[in-house]
Amino acid sequence: MPGFAHKFLLALVSIVLPVSLAAAPDATIAVTVSGNANGSVSVGTLFGVTVVISNIGDEDFLAGDSISYDVNVLGQGIQVFTSGGNITNGLGVGAPITQNFNFTMPYSQAPKHAAAWTAMATVTATRDANGTNNTDNADFTINVPDLQITNFSGPANATPGADVTVTGVITNVGPAATETGVLVAGDVELIGPDGRVVDRQSVLLTT
């Protein structure tokens, strides 16, 4: 019957078949930097980088799966430190693995104290279901020494040919110490009425 056939076709069109998606592991990584209390790192001091590798998928990574991670510390976009490792015994769902790395910020990086510093962590794994969450960054700053001269004084008057004695105090008011054994020079110039340098003396201080 034509009417019956028409109703039967409509019923077939409205049928929805369930689709079952295969389970898969999903590796992700998070990174943090530990330095001073204010989240910065002082030159000449030890600081830590912690990475947490997790499986947020719905299936475990197995012992035969290749899982590797690496950490790069960049100053002004240039690699200063690098490290990493491998996970060989699999990675279960909800069973994150934490790895800690320690580095010492060298004094040679002090000129980059105003630059952007970043710790970047990356994880790579076979059978990874999602490659968009495999990298994490942690930004931080570095602290450097800051020397200043205070209480600088000399005689109110001086006669030609006479010795002139001046005094001052050199203080480090910065959030980082100077490097041990480094020579700090204090320069003093005697300038005449015409603006020319008449004499110059230097004092070396050992930190």
Side-chain angles (χ1 to χ4, degrees):
M1 292 182 292
F4 175 78
H6 180 68
K7 293 179 180 178
F8 179 72
L9 289 175
L10 288 177
L12 289 178
V13 172
S14 64
I15 295 176
V16 177
L17 297 177
V19 178
S20 177
L21 299 177
D26 181 7
T28 185
I29 195 167
V31 59
T32 55
V33 176
S34 59
N36 299 333
N38 60 356
S40 60
V41 173
S42 296
V43 291
T45 63
L46 191 73
F47 70 99
V49 177
T50 300
V51 296
V52 180
I53 305 99
S54 304
N55 180 3
I56 60 173
D58 47 18
E59 184 179 72
D60 292 345
F61 283 104
L62 304 177
D65 292 324
S66 174
I67 306 173
S68 61
Y69 55 90
D70 59 76
V71 174
N72 292 282
V73 177
L74 309 176
Q76 212 169 27
I78 300 174
Q79 183 186 82
V80 180
F81 303 105
T82 184
S83 191
N86 299 286
I87 298 174
T88 58
N89 295 323
L91 182 62
V93 176
I97 293 177
T98 300
Q99 299 290 347
N100 298 303
F101 303 90
N102 291 318
F103 308 103
T104 298
M105 183 62 68
Y107 279 93
S108 61
Q109 298 301 317
K112 299 179 183 177
H113 66 92
W117 283 83
T118 301
M120 182 175 65
T122 304
V123 61
T124 305
T126 56
R127 298 195 305 119
D128 190 1
N130 180 11
T132 63
N133 57 358
N134 290 8
T135 301
D136 190 36
N137 297 334
D139 298 330
F140 64 97
T141 58
I142 66 171
N143 297 325
V144 296
D146 182 9
L147 303 181
Q148 70 174 16
I149 298 179
T150 58
N151 301 324
F152 186 75
S153 63
N157 299 288
T159 58
D163 291 336
V164 175
T165 300
V166 296
T167 60
V169 178
I170 300 176
T171 307
N172 179 11
V173 297
T178 56
E179 187 174 6
T180 302
V182 167
L183 296 178
V184 177
D187 296 329
V188 179
E189 294 181 342
L190 178 62
I191 301 175
D194 57 359
R196 293 186 301 172
V197 176
V198 179
D199 193 12
R200 178 185 292 111
Q201 299 290 329
S202 294
V203 177
L204 292 179
L205 305 175
T206 302
T207 59

